[in-house]
Amino acid sequence: MAGLAESGSNPDVELLYDINGLTKEAPHWFDRVMEFVGEYGVLLGLVLTVLWCWWTVRRRGAEDAASSVAALVWAPLAAGIAVLVNVPIRGFVERPRPFNDHQGLEVLVSGKTDYSFVSDHATIAMALGVALFVANRRFGLIGIGLALLEGFCRVYMGVHYPTDVVGGFALGTAVALLLSPLAMALLTPLMSAIERSPRGGWLIRARGRSGDDGSGALLRGGRKDGPGAEERDLAA
């Protein structure tokens, strides 16, 4: 795999130069914005999106609140597991960062000394986005959109090849989807126990909420006849 970086004529490298070359035409302040967004901003946005979805779920107080919150808890867990899976992958592939093998790149973030394939940022972002999509389509589309932005930013910043990003997207998606049934089987009973707890029940369902019309339904059992019936979760 490391050999892919040595040729300047393959599509991966050409796309790297095309995207990173945009930095030469952009104003300095825009590069600084992209640097922050690609390094911290998108991941922060994804975390806030998960929290926003959780707040919506608990306020709605539907009967399936426990399974819905379990799906949201799985999102950060999926991201963490995906990063752990990536550790041996990086060590096996040993692909250098693109700026180590190619001249003329505008590198917006210094100090990157680890291997390039696959991108941790892309892996985390897509794992969060896909897991969120499994829980709720509306919030999940926001999450996946942010993940795609993350991938673009990593190439724009000159710290990853496009295939590093694609590999991260594939890894994050695989972990979020393949382990989701097992995660839900373990997390849903736990969330149900917390829901019944006098002290922790507010984490699952807002006090005084006993159900709703099913609008924005999450997971199995969340779809009901009514104005929100069209939003059906993939797990249903």
Side-chain angles (χ1 to χ4, degrees):
M1 284 294 296
L4 291 176
E6 297 175 0
S7 171
S9 61
N10 69 70
D12 194 23
V13 175
E14 291 176 356
L15 187 56
L16 165 67
Y17 274 106
D18 287 341
I19 296 176
N20 180 256
L22 298 174
T23 61
K24 296 179 173 61
E25 305 296 332
H28 179 74
W29 64 264
F30 183 80
D31 286 346
R32 299 285 72 81
V33 169
M34 292 294 284
E35 175 186 345
F36 174 80
V37 170
E39 197 73 5
Y40 309 106
V42 169
L43 297 183
L44 176 60
L46 282 163
V47 171
L48 293 176
T49 302
V50 172
L51 291 176
W52 181 17
C53 188
W54 164 75
W55 185 260
T56 302
V57 167
R58 67 174 294 276
R59 280 181 60 85
R60 198 179 70 242
E63 294 179 358
D64 64 340
S67 60
S68 299
V69 174
L72 295 175
V73 171
W74 167 236
L77 293 177
I81 293 173
V83 170
L84 291 178
V85 173
N86 188 29
V87 173
I89 294 177
R90 280 195 169 197
F92 176 76
V93 177
E94 295 185 344
R95 189 184 201 184
R97 294 277 182 170
F99 51 78
N100 290 325
D101 290 327
H102 302 284
Q103 303 297 320
L105 293 174
E106 294 288 335
V107 183
L108 302 186
V109 179
S110 60
K112 299 291 183 181
T113 58
D114 55 344
Y115 293 121
S116 184
F117 186 91
V118 297
S119 167
D120 277 338
H121 280 74
T123 300
I124 294 172
M126 190 56 75
L128 285 169
V130 171
L132 189 56
F133 186 79
V134 170
N136 182 280
R137 287 184 177 181
R138 180 179 60 185
F139 286 98
L141 288 174
I142 296 174
I144 292 175
L146 288 172
L148 294 175
L149 174 61
E150 178 68 64
F152 177 83
C153 288
R154 301 308 289 177
V155 180
Y156 182 92
M157 293 159 61
V159 294
H160 281 292
Y161 294 95
T163 48
D164 298 337
V165 169
V166 173
F169 287 167
L171 177 58
T173 299
V175 170
L177 292 181
L178 295 179
L179 297 183
S180 178
L182 175 61
M184 291 301 299
L186 296 175
L187 291 172
T188 300
L190 177 60
M191 295 303 109
S192 297
I194 294 175
E195 183 181 14
R196 294 190 296 269
S197 170
R199 295 184 178 181
W202 64 273
L203 292 169
I204 311 300
R205 189 198 300 257
R207 293 179 180 178
R209 298 283 183 171
S210 59
D212 72 346
D213 62 1
S215 178
L218 301 182
L219 293 179
R220 188 181 304 275
R223 187 184 182 190
K224 298 181 175 70
D225 292 332
E230 68 278 1
E231 187 176 349
R232 182 180 184 183
D233 187 80
L234 297 180

